[in-house]
Amino acid sequence: MYGKMQNWLAAELKSIEDAGLYKRERLITTAQGAQIKVNGTQDVLNFCANNYLGLSDNPRVIAAAKAMMDSRGYGMSSVRFICGTQDRHRDLEKAIANYFGLDDSILYVACFDANGGVFEPLFGAEDAIISDALNHASIIDGVRLSKAKRYRYANANMEELENCLKEAQAQRFRVIVTDGVFSMDGNVAPLDKICALAKRYDALVMVDESHSAGVVGKTGRGVTELYNLRGEVDIITGTLGKAFGGGCGGFTVARQEIVDLLRQRSRPYLFSNSVPPPVVGASLEVFKMLGESNELHAHLMENTAYFQEKMTAAGFDIKPSQSAILAVMLYDAKLSQVMAADLLDEGIYVTGFYYPVVPKDQARIRVQVSAAHTRAQLDQCVAAFVKIGRKHGVLK
Ligand SMILES: *Cc1c(COP(=O)(O)O)cnc(C)c1O
């Protein structure tokens, strides 16, 4: 039986390869951080991790993970409604809710699961889900699992959103769903306008803060803080796998009844294990640290502004960004790959993106700044970009 399928798989793999779309993964042989070793190279500076606050190898976070593992063990071996979780899981859920200024939160093993499990229990065939076209894959998959009527508007296009809202007036409930920060451009969703439209057309609002939490807003509380809308959106999802230490885990933060119903009906929560104690211990420490001081976030903002300023002054074309994601526009697909490879030779680890990950002729190198980067490391990155940019005629 397998022979027939094996032939088909080999042909599929070859067609991916022939289209130049085969994803090859690099191997990191150190802890995640500003400076890492990749594929047996010398040390390189990492500008492509979601380690925004530099917490992935933070000593306090590591110590907290170890301490929780010593006191509460390694794993849960448990589905919550069948055999429970630890008190510390509840403490973490409260810490997350408090961070975002909403009633309560519910943990999942990944934000992919949080998004996969949020729509189906809340929105049925008589409802409407109105989604930004550039929303994360996990939102798209989550929406597919619901029977609600689906609407889609072009990225951050408020005119199209308003048209969708008008069309959806016959439905029982409407929810507008958006990423907080869009990961390829680094732009922020216009949440002020989205919330104004939601009010006018009687809709709920859901924001996925995965790339914005810890980063955007005066103290990094995300786009709801940036727009002074703390506590005013109905549902927030997010990940523990990016700014908050980068381990794993996801959450939905929402009004009390929403969280309560998700605990009853959300399938990735009901039929899956919960995050392990060391992740809970580390995450509790992260939220404690972020409550104590805004230093890491302030440093990230400073680093991002500095890097953006230096790169723009050097003559690079950077997309307007309000996050720690900076898209260095090159437009040409091949150039984005060749330049990223040359930059790696210069000790700078970045990734080039091209169609279909970004629109045709919009190829770019995406740079992700971290609070862990030193000023000298940022300068080293800019200098390498300038050298390689000149070599390829991107800079005069
Ligand atoms: C990274 C990301 C996710 C997935 O988070 P995981 O916890 O790694 O599953 C979901 N949504 C958005 C917008 C993301 O950027």
Side-chain angles (χ1 to χ4, degrees):
M1 174 58 213
Y2 181 59
K4 213 160 99 186
M5 185 173 192
Q6 192 174 25
N7 291 339
W8 176 81
L9 289 168
E12 278 299 296
L13 289 164
K14 185 169 183 305
S15 79
I16 296 171
E17 177 98 53
D18 291 348
L21 298 176
Y22 201 91
K23 297 177 210 51
R24 283 176 217 289
E25 298 173 9
R26 294 199 167 98
L27 295 177
I28 299 174
T29 55
T30 56
Q32 183 61 280
Q35 194 164 308
I36 56 171
K37 281 192 204 304
V38 182
N39 280 2
T41 57
Q42 304 285 11
D43 285 347
V44 295
L45 298 181
N46 193 355
F47 283 89
C48 62
N50 302 313
N51 185 21
Y52 296 122
L53 296 174
L55 291 171
S56 301
D57 64 344
N58 180 285
R60 254 179 90 173
V61 175
I62 294 169
K66 285 181 181 167
M68 189 67 82
M69 191 143 69
D70 286 341
S71 68
R72 300 295 165 88
Y74 163 69
M76 288 312 302
S77 308
S78 152
V79 160
R80 281 174 83 158
F81 88 93
I82 297 173
C83 111
T85 41
Q86 292 164 337
D87 50 344
R88 306 302 269 150
H89 288 77
R90 270 308 283 154
D91 293 344
L92 178 57
E93 286 173 335
K94 283 179 202 149
I96 293 170
N98 182 44
Y99 184 85
F100 288 98
L102 279 166
D103 296 344
D104 201 357
S105 85
I106 168 172
L107 277 173
Y108 294 82
V109 286
C111 185
F112 210 106
D113 284 330
N115 285 333
V118 71
F119 299 103
E120 187 261 344
L122 299 174
F123 304 102
E126 58 274 61
D127 304 318
I129 301 172
I130 308 171
S131 182
D132 188 292
L134 289 192
N135 278 344
H136 191 263
S138 55
I139 294 179
I140 295 168
D141 287 9
V143 171
R144 278 190 192 138
L145 294 171
S146 149
K147 293 192 172 61
K149 188 153 191 234
R150 299 172 212 162
Y151 296 86
R152 204 166 76 136
Y153 61 96
N155 179 228
N157 186 321
M158 294 298 99
E159 213 171 297
E160 286 192 21
L161 171 58
E162 184 162 9
N163 288 337
C164 294
L165 283 162
K166 281 179 186 160
E167 274 181 54
Q169 284 304 301
Q171 262 92 33
R172 179 184 61 169
F173 306 135
R174 287 154 290 286
V175 62
I176 306 167
V177 188
T178 182
D179 279 11
V181 160
F182 295 92
S183 65
M184 283 300 142
D185 289 2
N187 60 315
V188 162
L191 199 63
D192 51 345
K193 300 194 180 83
I194 290 172
C195 284
L197 284 172
K199 205 171 244 177
R200 195 150 142 219
Y201 291 97
D202 190 24
L204 288 92
V205 176
M206 169 177 150
V207 187
D208 180 338
E209 296 262 30
S210 288
H211 275 291
S212 40
V215 177
V216 173
K218 196 162 58 60
T219 66
R221 261 63 174 174
V223 289
T224 62
E225 183 182 47
L226 178 72
Y227 288 109
N228 243 332
L229 290 163
R230 237 174 109 70
E232 286 180 50
V233 303
D234 304 282
I235 303 170
I236 291 172
T237 58
T239 181
L240 299 172
K242 290 188 171 112
F244 300 139
C248 69
F251 49 82
T252 299
V253 197
R255 302 184 192 281
Q256 192 61 56
E257 298 78 7
I258 293 178
V259 172
D260 289 347
L261 191 72
L262 291 176
R263 282 193 208 283
Q264 300 303 312
R265 299 224 176 115
S266 179
R267 293 167 68 84
Y269 177 85
L270 285 175
F271 301 105
S272 187
N273 200 354
S274 193
V275 286
V279 168
V280 174
S283 304
L284 279 167
E285 190 67 15
V286 165
F287 287 104
K288 189 168 163 222
M289 287 166 71
L290 298 181
E292 282 167 8
S293 147
N294 191 44
E295 198 184 315
L296 288 174
H297 172 257
H299 193 211
L300 172 65
M301 291 296 94
E302 210 178 280
N303 277 355
T304 309
Y306 179 80
F307 184 80
Q308 189 162 12
E309 187 194 305
K310 290 282 164 191
M311 288 289 282
T312 307
F316 284 104
D317 175 5
I318 313 245
K319 280 224 173 205
S321 164
Q322 287 160 286
S323 66
I325 293 170
L326 299 170
V328 182
M329 299 306 294
L330 300 167
Y331 303 99
D332 182 73
K334 181 130 187 252
L335 182 62
S336 71
Q337 300 308 296
V338 174
M339 267 189 68
D342 280 359
L343 282 161
L344 190 63
D345 290 340
E346 295 291 321
I348 304 297
Y349 187 23
V350 286
T351 309
F353 291 97
Y354 57 98
Y355 183 79
V357 180
V358 295
K360 272 213 165 80
D361 303 319
Q362 291 284 311
R364 68 200 60 186
I365 287 176
R366 181 177 75 170
V367 176
Q368 289 173 285
V369 179
S370 167
H373 293 130
T374 64
R375 190 51 69 90
Q377 289 172 332
L378 296 174
D379 287 337
Q380 199 181 325
C381 181
V382 174
F385 260 99
V386 168
K387 179 176 169 190
I388 300 306
R390 287 210 181 109
K391 176 179 163 190
H392 292 286
V394 175
L395 297 181
K396 304 278 171 311

